[in-house]
Amino acid sequence: MILSIDIFALPSKSILPRSASCWSSGSNDIKLTMYWVSQEGTADVDNSGKKLNLGTGPKTSTLKSCSGKVLANVDAATLAKAKMEGTIKLANGQTYNLGSRNDCFQNTDDWGVGSTGRALVPFVSVAVNDNTLKSKTILVDELVGVELPTGQIHNGCVRVDDSGWSFGNCQIDFLVGTYELYQNIKLSTKVSVSIKD
């Protein structure tokens, strides 16, 4: 099965900052990283790569809304991952996304909502910090024909649905769903791209 994305109606063009030269067609100076929705009660890694199990420590930390309402009590590792990845799925099935600041959360659907306001979709959504690419579709040459852990074959097209606070320009952070799926996919760390729309 080939994974494809539907191209939704894009917002009208606005005047945005000039794009970094790394995004010119055929450039291979783009760094590719991966991110996922951390899940309470599962294995994961901390920000330094050390393995951990989320939800096994004392629930002394709180996920709070931007108005200060307590949404859930979690262990420190779960809170740290929620802030790093931007979305957390708790053992009770509730999913929370970072709110207007990186210390508050809001209830969301399955995989979260990106900075563009679109629902995030594993193996389709990417985070990019160059505002000129917001909501654009990008062809990543190194993804064409890659077999995903789900058994699907990627067509190479990804959609800029998100941005990230932990990296700069000239980088694509590819949403791969879960840490378990991340462990089962090997991708090049430098990629060539072309902007499709």
Side-chain angles (χ1 to χ4, degrees):
M1 175 151 111
I2 295 182
L3 178 69
S4 63
I5 62 173
D6 293 326
I7 306 303
F8 301 100
L10 297 175
S12 60
K13 294 190 184 235
S14 60
I15 299 172
L16 294 169
R18 184 180 161 105
S19 179
S21 63
C22 61
W23 296 108
S24 62
S25 189
S27 171
N28 62 355
D29 292 330
I30 309 296
K31 182 177 180 180
L32 179 71
T33 54
M34 294 177 271
Y35 75 112
W36 54 89
V37 173
S38 293
Q39 299 179 319
E40 187 179 37
T42 65
D44 210 309
V45 291
D46 67 14
N47 296 344
S48 66
K50 180 181 170 191
K51 292 191 183 266
L52 53 89
N53 289 307
L54 299 179
T56 58
K59 295 188 177 204
T60 56
S61 299
T62 55
L63 288 178
K64 292 182 180 179
S65 71
C66 293
S67 65
K69 177 184 172 197
V70 173
L71 301 170
N73 292 314
V74 296
D75 68 340
T78 299
L79 180 61
K81 285 305 292 185
K83 288 180 178 181
M84 178 63 185
E85 302 300 344
T87 307
I88 188 77
K89 186 168 199 158
L90 299 182
N92 66 8
Q94 291 291 312
T95 304
Y96 295 99
N97 233 112
L98 278 176
S100 57
R101 306 181 312 265
N102 81 346
D103 64 346
C104 63
F105 295 84
Q106 58 195 11
N107 198 320
T108 190
D109 295 323
D110 294 329
W111 299 103
V113 176
S115 61
T116 63
R118 284 186 173 162
L120 297 175
V121 180
F123 305 112
V124 173
S125 298
V126 296
V128 170
N129 285 341
D130 186 323
N131 285 337
T132 63
L133 300 175
K134 199 176 233 184
S135 299
K136 299 253 185 217
T137 298
I138 299 173
L139 175 65
V140 179
D141 294 340
E142 289 76 4
L143 285 178
V144 175
V146 169
E147 183 174 355
L148 302 171
T150 59
Q152 297 170 303
I153 304 299
H154 207 288
N155 68 359
C157 289
V158 296
R159 191 178 59 214
V160 180
D161 290 334
D162 208 359
S163 58
W165 62 268
S166 64
F167 61 91
N169 286 335
C170 301
Q171 182 169 338
I172 295 173
D173 208 10
F174 184 47
L175 178 64
V176 296
T178 66
Y179 177 67
E180 181 181 8
L181 292 172
Y182 163 77
Q183 292 178 296
N184 292 298
I185 188 168
K186 302 293 180 233
L187 298 173
S188 175
T189 58
K190 286 284 190 179
V191 295
S192 301
V193 302
S194 53
I195 311 305
K196 299 318 269 181
D197 63 16

